[in-house]
Amino acid sequence: DTLSTGPEMQLLIEKLQELILAENSFEQIRTAIREYSKHTHLLFALKSLTNLARNGRVSPVVAKMAGILGIRLVGKASDEGTLEPLHKCRGEEKALETMVAEMVQAGYDGGAVRIAPCQADATAAALKALLRARWPKADIRIAPCTALCSFYAESGGILVGYEDGLSC
């Protein structure tokens, strides 16, 4: 169980494909993917907290105030697979800068990044531009959120899967 979703899962699927095409044995693949998964991470930036309020994760009043004040919640998938809020940022630019800082703190150094926007293509492009400015050769791909990820990200949210500098 990866205890993750969306773009982090995409990184794991891509690594599995690479290992399978290299004709590794099942045991080699299992060992390699478990090790690789220790070095992939998931961040999110939410423009709306409505669904989190509906699920009892935040107070409806807090969700409403965050929307009025333009506060974006930046968080990560915890080691237990739960949503772990990290920062409350005022505005999109601050949220994206905070995400890059979190990535660096976790060991990101120009590896693969998968960005999944939910009706937030401009936000995803802005994040990609921030990352490209610092890591011009980074493998960064954008693909829209699908299904359940869209429900939680809501309109304007983005999910970001990335590998740290220790990945294989």
Side-chain angles (χ1 to χ4, degrees), residues 20-37:
I20 291 166
L21 292 174
E23 299 183 5
N24 288 290
S25 71
F26 176 80
E27 287 303 320
Q28 290 170 318
I29 292 169
R30 184 171 65 172
T31 300
I33 203 66
R34 283 185 176 165
E35 184 60 29
Y36 180 70
S37 71

Side-chain angles (χ1 to χ4, degrees), residues 42-44 74-79 82-86 102 162:
L42 180 71
L43 285 176
F44 57 86
V74 173
K76 69 176 187 172
S78 73
D79 292 339
T82 61
L83 302 177
E84 182 179 328
L86 299 172
E102 282 295 326
Y162 65 97

